[in-house]
Amino acid sequence: MLARPELEQLAQRVIARYHLGALTEPETAQYLRHRLGVAGLGTANPFTKSAMRRIHQRSRGVPRRINLLADRALLGAYADGVARVDQTIVDKAAAEVFGPDARVQALRRMAPWALGALAGAAMAAGTALWLTREPPTIASASTVLPAAVVALPAASAVAATAAVDVVAAAPAPAPAPLPASASVADTTTPLFLTAADLARKVTKPLRRERDAWRELARMWPSNGPDADASDPCTPAPPSTWQCFKSSAAGLPLIRQLDRPGLVTLLDDNGKPLHALLVAIDERSATLRMNGQSIVVALVALAHLWQGDFATYWQAPEGYQRPIGPGDAGPLVDQLALQLATVRGEPAPAGAQRVDHAMKTRVQAFQLAQGLKPDGLVGPTTFMQLARATAAPAAGQAPRLTGGH
């Protein structure tokens, strides 16, 4: 670029130049570990060996492409709620980042004889269509060849599989268009929404958090939180329903709590939208706003969502703050009874205190439930204790569904 005539003066000011070529596979792995270390990683490498190998293959060792692919793969792992990035996640990330470019580059690397075999197979398929007196339409002609190309994993396999792939790739019927009156809720296909899509896909967005809390309250039974309260998070006594809010809950905690809640999305203007998260599975989440449901791919949700989560929970009577070391009283006695029930032990006798032994039991329960094992008994620990001991409060809470 600096050799262009209009950049001659700039080129004269450049003291030294260095061309960074493509990295080798070991250098790519070392580069990934270096970047993770600079970012402050203090745990094990989140990329498996096969994932790093695939990153090198799909990025061709170009640092800029490595950065893009690794970043999207980490985002995909976060959206899926998994701790390691494997080869499958990298392949999906590459399809999102590079798109058709990867297939074009694969074709460019194909040997001439492989392209000849592919062309011959395509001609054979055309002859077969003509002999059956079913002339190919524009739609079918555009379907057969790309399907055959995509089916080829490598140039070395073209000669053996090209003819089979082309013949087997029968033209697929075009999907029937949705009726004009169809809403987002009419389909369960996960959508890859962008911030600009929110205003178009959601006809009645929830702009006020209070309205979202009220819609969430209606998912509980009649003896649950008050949907008509002026302040849903400050119920009138003797109600013990409270609002649990976390600014960085993440999908693993949401899956563990297994109850619907509120998430905050940002539209293309940066304004918040409040949605109910009512269902979640391995690849998608179902959101609801003003009774309208929409199924969103988790990868897309990660771009729109701020990572927060809020839901209702029924606090034990007398609860004011998390229980910690040194605490005693009726609430601690109840905690000791719940822990004994979970462990299949007899009820403890006498007044209880949070000593080292009880804190250890709390931490063990938290670890088993996928919670932070800090030994403090707050909303998330009480929610899981209620469910583990089949307490009435747990039975009242609706649950996230795995389907749509």
Side-chain angles (χ1 to χ4, degrees):
M1 180 181 293
L2 290 177
R4 295 168 57 181
E6 60 269 25
L7 297 179
E8 180 180 356
Q9 293 184 3
L10 175 61
Q12 294 171 355
R13 288 169 171 79
V14 176
I15 298 175
R17 305 179 189 181
Y18 179 78
H19 174 70
L20 179 63
L23 303 180
T24 64
E25 184 176 316
E27 289 172 341
T28 298
Q30 184 179 0
Y31 177 72
L32 286 170
R33 287 191 289 266
H34 169 72
R35 291 299 300 267
L36 289 168
V38 171
L41 179 69
T43 58
N45 189 342
F47 294 98
T48 64
K49 291 183 178 179
S50 62
M52 290 191 291
R53 187 180 307 114
R54 184 54 57 91
I55 288 176
H56 173 73
Q57 293 172 353
R58 300 303 295 267
S59 67
R60 303 193 297 278
V62 178
R64 177 182 60 84
R65 292 169 64 90
I66 294 174
N67 293 342
L68 290 172
L69 183 52
D71 178 73
R72 185 61 62 88
L74 286 171
L75 179 63
Y78 169 76
D80 289 345
V82 297
R84 300 297 303 277
V85 177
D86 58 16
Q87 180 176 316
T88 301
I89 294 177
V90 172
D91 285 337
K92 292 179 180 178
E96 296 172 8
V97 174
F98 303 140
D101 178 68
R103 294 191 291 271
V104 173
Q105 296 299 331
L107 284 175
R108 289 177 179 173
R109 293 194 299 270
M110 292 172 67
W113 60 266
L115 291 174
L118 179 59
M123 292 177 63
T127 303
L129 288 173
W130 180 81
L131 290 174
T132 56
R133 297 184 182 275
E134 294 181 3
T137 63
I138 294 177
S140 64
S142 65
T143 302
V144 174
L145 186 57
V149 173
V150 174
L152 301 177
S156 60
V158 172
T161 61
V164 177
D165 291 334
V166 175
V167 174
L178 290 174
S181 59
S183 67
V184 177
D186 295 325
T187 177
T188 58
T189 302
L191 299 176
F192 289 85
L193 290 182
T194 64
D197 294 329
L198 284 176
R200 180 171 56 88
K201 294 292 186 180
V202 181
T203 56
K204 294 181 179 180
L206 291 171
R207 293 290 184 181
R208 298 195 309 173
E209 183 178 352
R210 182 177 301 178
D211 294 337
W213 278 108
R214 288 172 176 168
E215 184 170 353
L216 178 64
R218 296 186 184 98
M219 297 186 65
W220 263 257
S222 57
N223 56 349
D226 186 3
D228 298 321
S230 57
D231 185 353
C233 290
T234 310
S239 175
T240 56
W241 288 98
Q242 296 189 14
C243 294
F244 165 75
K245 299 181 180 181
S246 173
S247 60
L251 290 177
L253 177 60
I254 292 175
R255 294 181 189 275
Q256 196 65 28
L257 294 179
D258 193 21
R259 61 178 64 197
L262 305 183
V263 293
T264 304
L265 314 177
L266 292 182
D267 62 15
D268 55 339
N269 294 319
K271 296 182 178 179
L273 295 177
H274 304 287
L276 273 63
L277 177 62
V278 297
I280 191 170
D281 57 24
E282 292 78 7
R283 300 296 175 190
S284 63
T286 302
L287 305 177
R288 184 181 301 166
M289 282 180 270
N290 275 324
Q292 180 185 14
S293 295
I294 178 172
V295 182
V296 182
L298 292 183
V299 174
L301 177 63
H303 285 280
L304 304 172
W305 177 39
Q306 301 305 293
D308 61 300
F309 183 73
T311 189
Y312 284 110
W313 74 289
Q314 192 166 19
E317 186 175 353
Y319 177 85
Q320 298 293 332
R321 58 171 178 79
I323 297 175
D327 287 340
L331 201 53
V332 175
D333 295 342
Q334 178 182 336
L335 170 62
L337 177 59
Q338 288 178 307
L339 290 172
T341 302
V342 170
R343 299 165 65 93
E345 299 174 349
Q352 302 293 309
R353 180 177 296 275
V354 182
D355 53 12
H356 177 73
M358 183 178 292
K359 180 181 177 181
T360 301
R361 291 189 173 195
V362 169
Q363 290 175 316
F365 176 79
Q366 291 171 328
L367 276 173
Q369 294 294 314
L371 305 176
K372 181 180 179 180
D374 55 9
L376 297 177
V377 185
T380 56
T381 304
F382 272 120
M383 279 188 267
Q384 297 306 90
L385 277 170
R387 176 163 292 160
T389 57
Q396 294 174 1
R399 308 186 72 165
L400 287 172
T401 58
H404 312 305

